[in-house]
Amino acid sequence: MRRNCTILIPAYNPPDSLCDYLRQLRRAGFERILVVDDGSREDRQEIFREAERVGCIVLHHRENKGKGAALKTGFSYYGEHWQGTCDGVITVNSDGSDRLEDVLRIEETLYNSHRMDSYGLVLGARDFSGPGITRARRNGNKITCLIYRLLTGISVKDALTGLRGIPDMRIPECLRMWGSGYEYEASMLLDCGYAGYLEVSVETPVPNPKAETHYRPVRDTVRIYVALFRRFLMFSMTSVSVSLLDIVLFWLLTEYCLKNISYPLAWGTVIARVISASVNYLINRYLVFESGGDGRKSAGMFVVLSIVQCLLSAGLVQSLEYISSGEPVLLKILVDVGLFFFSYFVQNRWIFKKKK
């Protein structure tokens, strides 16, 4: 049976068993298999030559660039040669640990194009409750899934799975995503979150003892969490910068521009807030959340959110001060910090949500 999906395998110093795995995929009906040599050693090059003899297309990096860079190279080749003719791309690990049965389940889900019209990814969700899973892997996945849920409001069972199906229509987006190493897959999870996921339960791969381990626990884990927090950090930096802009504009207006009119403080406050809020909206729309869509609708929702934030801040501070007799300044700081997270969640989930 001919499979209308492309298999993409990023490989860095792969084990000898890769070629047997490729033959298994070919026998299962996968005619389009891309293998990206991510700067492997010379003693591993015969494996890639054998992969070409098996019938795969092999792309080479002169030096090791990282898993994300290898995936982008494969997506770029796919976009140039097969975009619009396949159901999508299935990314598979090079150690052969992903069972053929699970790859076929991902393929079957991508094949159902009607279901995939509204989704961004098919995730091969591993079972981390089995006896063969170390506590470190189990806890690492739990923490990553929790962080992802807090930042996006979306729950996934396996945030770091490498077995994924990417629909044909999503491939151009994948080329624009941030990251060149393992953090790229975290970026993919975030950037496709607006479109949602289909999770397919797969067997937890048994690591190949002959395969080299390229994951650097400290460095790569940090990079993954940077990818997860990148949007939130950009949002935080934008908020601080816009607040400083608001203060500077207020000072310039009241000191130099509005001295000779009535109520200069009031006018200065309004004008500075309108300008700073407009800058905030534009930066959040185009840089932080990278949202297209209807600008008028998102601008209107942004204005409403700003008004609601202002009213909530005033109301909550007043209420808490009445209840607790606490210091108003401290109460305002606590309330505004909470509203800051509320604002991020609303903007990420609704105002600047990308179209499916």
Side-chain angles (χ1 to χ4, degrees):
M1 176 182 177
R2 182 177 181 273
R3 309 286 177 179
N4 198 34
C5 285
T6 296
I7 299 292
L8 172 56
I9 303 178
Y12 178 49
N13 297 330
D16 295 337
S17 58
L18 173 60
C19 293
D20 291 333
Y21 188 62
L22 294 174
R23 293 188 186 93
Q24 190 180 14
L25 291 170
R26 293 282 292 175
R27 287 195 295 270
F30 291 104
E31 297 181 359
R32 296 169 174 173
I33 302 177
L34 277 172
V35 179
V36 180
D37 166 23
D38 188 27
S40 299
R41 295 190 308 265
E42 184 60 34
D43 67 318
R44 300 285 88 189
Q45 293 305 309
E46 180 58 32
I47 295 174
F48 296 108
R49 288 190 282 271
E50 181 63 23
E52 290 179 326
R53 290 192 285 269
V54 169
C56 304
I57 294 174
V58 179
L59 308 174
H60 296 274
H61 288 169
R62 283 192 166 186
E63 57 186 24
N64 179 245
K65 297 182 179 180
K67 186 176 183 181
L71 289 171
K72 287 181 181 178
T73 295
F75 290 142
S76 179
Y77 185 94
Y78 174 92
E80 292 174 4
H81 296 84
W82 299 323
Q83 184 82 50
T85 65
C86 282
D87 296 326
V89 175
I90 301 174
T91 61
V92 179
N93 294 310
S94 64
D95 61 358
S97 59
D98 294 314
R99 295 190 317 155
L100 176 61
E101 294 88 341
D102 293 328
V103 175
L104 292 176
R105 296 181 70 186
I106 300 291
E107 185 271 338
E108 182 181 358
T109 306
L110 280 176
Y111 176 76
N112 191 339
S113 58
H114 175 71
R115 291 178 66 194
M116 288 310 303
D117 281 346
S118 298
Y119 289 90
L121 288 174
V122 179
L123 299 176
R126 298 166 291 181
D127 180 10
F128 283 86
S129 62
I133 304 299
T134 64
R135 180 178 297 180
R137 290 182 65 190
R138 186 179 298 115
N139 291 339
N141 182 68
K142 285 182 179 179
I143 292 171
T144 304
C145 290
L146 175 61
I147 291 173
Y148 182 75
R149 183 165 67 250
L150 291 174
L151 291 176
T152 66
I154 300 173
S155 296
V156 293
K157 298 177 182 177
D158 186 356
L160 300 177
T161 177
L163 179 58
R164 301 179 176 195
I166 301 95
D168 179 75
M169 65 184 295
R170 305 292 178 193
I171 298 301
E173 298 174 41
C174 292
L175 290 170
R176 298 190 294 268
M177 294 172 187
W178 179 80
S180 60
Y182 288 98
E183 75 279 0
Y184 174 74
E185 292 177 315
S187 293
M188 186 188 296
L189 199 67
L190 279 176
D191 289 348
C192 289
Y194 70 94
Y197 310 105
L198 288 176
E199 291 193 283
V200 176
S201 296
V202 301
E203 185 173 305
T204 303
V206 178
N208 186 339
K210 296 182 180 181
E212 296 182 14
T213 300
H214 307 298
Y215 185 86
R216 296 157 294 189
V218 176
R219 180 178 175 180
D220 290 327
T221 299
V222 169
R223 290 173 68 92
I224 287 171
Y225 285 128
V226 167
L228 288 173
F229 281 103
R230 190 173 70 95
R231 180 173 293 172
F232 180 74
L233 291 173
M234 290 175 63
F235 178 81
S236 302
M237 293 172 61
T238 299
S239 298
V240 172
S241 300
V242 168
S243 296
L244 292 175
L245 174 64
D246 185 66
I247 293 171
V248 170
L249 286 173
F250 174 78
W251 174 71
L252 290 173
L253 289 168
T254 54
E255 282 291 320
Y256 300 102
C257 302
L258 303 175
K259 277 190 171 183
N260 299 322
I261 68 171
S262 301
Y263 309 109
L265 295 181
W267 281 108
T269 299
V270 171
I271 295 173
R273 182 57 54 87
V274 169
I275 295 174
S276 61
S278 299
V279 171
N280 193 13
Y281 166 78
L282 292 173
I283 293 176
N284 283 349
R285 183 185 179 194
Y286 291 107
L287 296 180
V288 177
F289 298 102
E290 299 176 306
S291 171
D294 189 344
R296 291 173 298 180
K297 181 179 178 180
S298 61
M301 294 174 69
F302 188 84
V303 170
V304 171
L305 174 63
S306 300
I307 295 173
V308 169
Q309 270 188 277
C310 183
L311 295 175
L312 284 174
S313 178
L316 289 172
V317 170
Q318 183 67 50
S319 300
L320 290 173
E321 196 275 334
Y322 177 79
I323 294 171
S324 65
S325 299
E327 176 62 37
V329 174
L330 178 59
L331 292 175
K332 179 169 175 55
I333 292 174
L334 294 174
V335 168
D336 285 351
V337 167
L339 290 176
F340 170 80
F341 288 99
F342 167 76
S343 176
Y344 174 82
F345 183 80
V346 171
Q347 291 184 54
N348 186 47
R349 290 287 288 155
W350 289 292
I351 296 180
F352 298 114
K353 183 179 180 179
K354 297 179 183 179
K355 290 184 177 180
K356 288 188 176 183

